[in-house]
Amino acid sequence: MLTGQIRNDIDKLWEKFWTGGIANPLTVIEQISYLMFARMLDMQEETAERKAARTGKDFPHLFPQTPEGQLLRWKNFKNMAGKEMLGHLKKEVFPFFASLGQQEVGEDGSVETQVAHALAGIGEYMQDADIEIKNESVLVASVEMIDQLPLTQSDVKGDIYEYLLSKLTTAGINGQFRTPRHIIDTMIAMADPQPDAVICDPACGTAGFLARTMEYLNRVHSSEAGTFKDEDGNPHYSGDLLEPYRAHINNDMFWGFDFDTTMLRVSSMNMLLHGVAGANIHYQDSLNKSVRENYPLQEQDFFDVILANPPFKGSLDESNVNPDVLGMVKTKKTELLFVAHILRALKPGGFAAVIVPDGVLFGSSKAHQQLRKELLEHNQLEGIVSLPSGVFKPYAGVSTAVLLFTKGGSTERVWFYDLQADGYSLDDKRTPLKGEGSNDLPDALAQWRAYRQLVLANADTGEIEQQFGDKTQKAFVVDAADIASNKYDLSINRYKEVVYEEEQYDPPKEILARLLKLEDEIITELKALEGML
């Protein structure tokens, strides 16, 4: 958790950027990312140097072993005067970032070498990196603040970046907007990814789903009994259940795709700060036909878990869309195409939790019905969580839902949950709320787990109906045959039963008599007032 002091420091730095002429919050985060990256490169070099001094073994250097190369290190340029540092970053340090993508790093299997590979890999997205900080005092203040951040503490640096990302308050283009972290956390808990899984977000943005999945794994699979810290301040757990999976987590578990290079830079840094050295963050339009050439293995039957909030906005040119996806659902609408792509990319038995606009649930077009039929008849549509329309404010007011489905098989019944409150006000301010009825997310997760426990225990229909058959409750099940008979309509209001309380009214003659009496009293008072005048 972040201390109040760290939050205050970040808030002050944010204000300095704003007053220094950088108003775009994504640009602020990008510039801070560059500086954090510069410091982390130097931190990694120092760690490797200390280990080499102890063992007497050489290591793969990230920086050229020349006087000029050493000036690229954070510790050697952080104390420069503002004007000198600005020129040095622009002419020397940032071009060095770009060169890291082509840098050869040796292979010795050590953790240090794995991290070196990861840092060099981020250089792929630093090709067009540039310093946007023109104000020298803002630059000096930024470097001083970042130098004080506890980036050696792996349990804090991810929180630091999450706090920075929370300041993104404007929507991007192409339907991009930030998914609230409490919604992400609930979706991850519903998916319950395991440490040996391969996980993807095909429209990763800032890598919120992937980074929070790493936090979930740390929380669920680590024990803090016997905690100790190494010389760099990183915590280690004697009961760390993730340790056997570290190589897989660092190199093979996480996959993110996006076609916005700024987002790729931010998401790469986000994963690195969350302790994942080699996340597979790649430039790719997931719906484009080039995905079959660029990532043929990942394009079909590859991922165990997919978590996503894909773009809703706009339509695509069919000539550029993956024809295999169009074969599943012929449409130009991105929200339908992404669900079809996710179905293809999942392994048989793989699980997905995907946010979609409500139109996907009840749209009457042939493509809408075709996709819903595919989900029910050739896959297992496990559940649908209906979200309140204000969840994505101030970005958008669109009504959405979370689809929960497993690839393969067929659907017997669908679990629904009518989520009416998420712990925040549903206006543009999104103020945190407390008190009974202010947050349905914990109950939604508990009900989902109870339902899944029944399903995995092969409970009979009667037992499931006994617990989830009442359609007046927030959580209930609907038979797949009923859904099919309604043109595969998945909107919750189609099946939820509303109990109306009967209102008792007085007879009309009594109401009329009271009105006439009231009128007489008004006329009497008006005449009295007239007499006074």
Side-chain angles (χ1 to χ4, degrees), residues 318-366:
E318 283 188 32
S319 64
N320 291 324
V321 178
N322 185 345
D324 292 325
V325 173
L326 286 174
M328 186 178 295
V329 54
K330 190 169 180 60
T331 181
K332 295 180 181 179
K333 290 187 173 294
T334 56
E335 59 266 32
L336 300 180
L337 292 169
F338 260 105
V339 175
H341 166 70
I342 288 167
L343 275 171
R344 281 180 51 78
L346 280 173
K347 285 180 182 176
F351 184 87
V354 184
I355 296 174
V356 296
D358 272 2
V360 171
L361 306 181
F362 57 76
S364 59
S365 75
K366 183 178 178 181

Side-chain angles (χ1 to χ4, degrees), residues 475-489:
F476 59 89
V477 294
V478 177
D479 191 272
D482 293 340
I483 296 173
S485 67
N486 281 302
K487 296 183 179 180
Y488 300 95
D489 191 324

Side-chain angles (χ1 to χ4, degrees), residues 42 69-80 88:
D42 193 31
Q70 293 302 296
L71 280 177
L72 299 171
R73 297 182 63 168
W74 175 270
K75 68 177 184 180
N76 293 327
F77 71 71
K78 69 178 182 179
N79 294 319
M80 288 180 177
H88 182 64

Side-chain angles (χ1 to χ4, degrees), residues 375-440:
L375 281 169
L376 263 81
E377 296 193 354
H378 302 120
N379 299 278
Q380 298 168 63
L381 180 58
E382 313 278 7
I384 295 173
V385 179
S386 175
L387 300 176
S389 60
V391 162
F392 291 102
K393 286 186 177 181
Y395 313 113
V398 62
S399 294
T400 57
V402 179
L403 294 181
L404 304 163
F405 56 88
T406 300
K407 182 171 180 174
S410 60
T411 305
E412 184 176 349
R413 70 184 70 82
V414 179
W415 176 86
F416 286 84
Y417 191 92
D418 185 14
L419 196 138
Q420 298 174 357
D422 71 331
Y424 294 82
S425 63
L426 298 174
D427 54 19
D428 286 349
K429 293 182 179 179
R430 296 289 280 152
T431 307
L433 301 176
K434 293 183 179 180
E436 187 176 353
S438 63
N439 188 1
D440 291 333

Side-chain angles (χ1 to χ4, degrees), residues 5-199:
Q5 184 59 50
I6 294 175
R7 288 174 180 267
N8 289 338
D9 289 344
I10 293 174
D11 291 342
K12 288 178 182 177
L13 179 62
W14 196 270
E15 186 177 346
K16 271 192 170 292
F17 271 97
W18 193 268
T19 56
I22 302 179
N24 184 336
L26 193 55
T27 302
V28 175
I29 291 175
E30 189 178 39
Q31 295 297 300
I32 293 175
S33 295
Y34 293 152
L35 296 177
M36 291 173 72
F37 181 64
R39 185 181 166 205
M40 290 183 69
L41 283 175
D42 193 31
M43 285 165 51
Q44 173 57 30
E45 191 83 340
E46 285 186 344
T47 300
E49 286 172 345
R50 285 197 297 271
K51 183 175 180 180
R54 290 195 308 269
T55 63
K57 295 180 180 179
D58 200 6
F59 66 96
H61 292 278
L62 289 169
F63 295 92
Q65 297 302 293
T66 62
E68 294 79 11
Q70 293 302 296
L71 280 177
L72 299 171
R73 297 182 63 168
W74 175 270
K75 68 177 184 180
N76 293 327
F77 71 71
K78 69 178 182 179
N79 294 319
M80 288 180 177
K83 184 176 182 179
E84 181 186 9
M85 191 191 307
L86 188 59
H88 182 64
L89 289 172
K90 189 173 186 64
K91 295 177 183 178
E92 303 295 340
V93 176
F94 277 56
F96 171 68
F97 288 168
S99 73
L100 286 172
Q102 292 80 44
Q103 182 170 318
E104 292 284 337
V105 180
E107 299 286 351
D108 63 9
S110 67
V111 173
E112 289 77 18
T113 299
Q114 291 179 32
V115 176
H117 274 290
L119 293 170
I122 295 178
E124 177 184 351
Y125 308 115
M126 298 290 184
Q127 300 298 316
D128 56 350
D130 195 12
I131 186 77
E132 298 288 341
I133 307 172
K134 309 304 180 186
N135 187 308
E136 296 167 12
S137 65
V138 172
L139 176 60
V140 171
S142 302
V143 170
E144 289 177 351
M145 191 278 282
I146 290 170
D147 195 52
Q148 297 302 314
L149 291 178
L151 297 183
T152 57
Q153 300 177 27
S154 57
D155 53 344
V156 173
K157 59 189 179 185
D159 291 340
I160 291 171
Y161 212 66
E162 283 291 315
Y163 185 61
L164 282 170
L165 292 175
S166 73
K167 291 180 173 291
L168 285 176
T169 55
T170 55
I173 60 172
N174 300 321
Q176 296 171 341
F177 50 83
R178 184 173 179 270
T179 311
R181 271 22 187 181
H182 58 291
I183 301 296
I184 287 178
D185 289 342
T186 302
M187 290 171 64
I188 292 169
M190 287 180 161
D192 189 26
Q194 298 302 300
D196 60 348
V198 180
I199 302 166

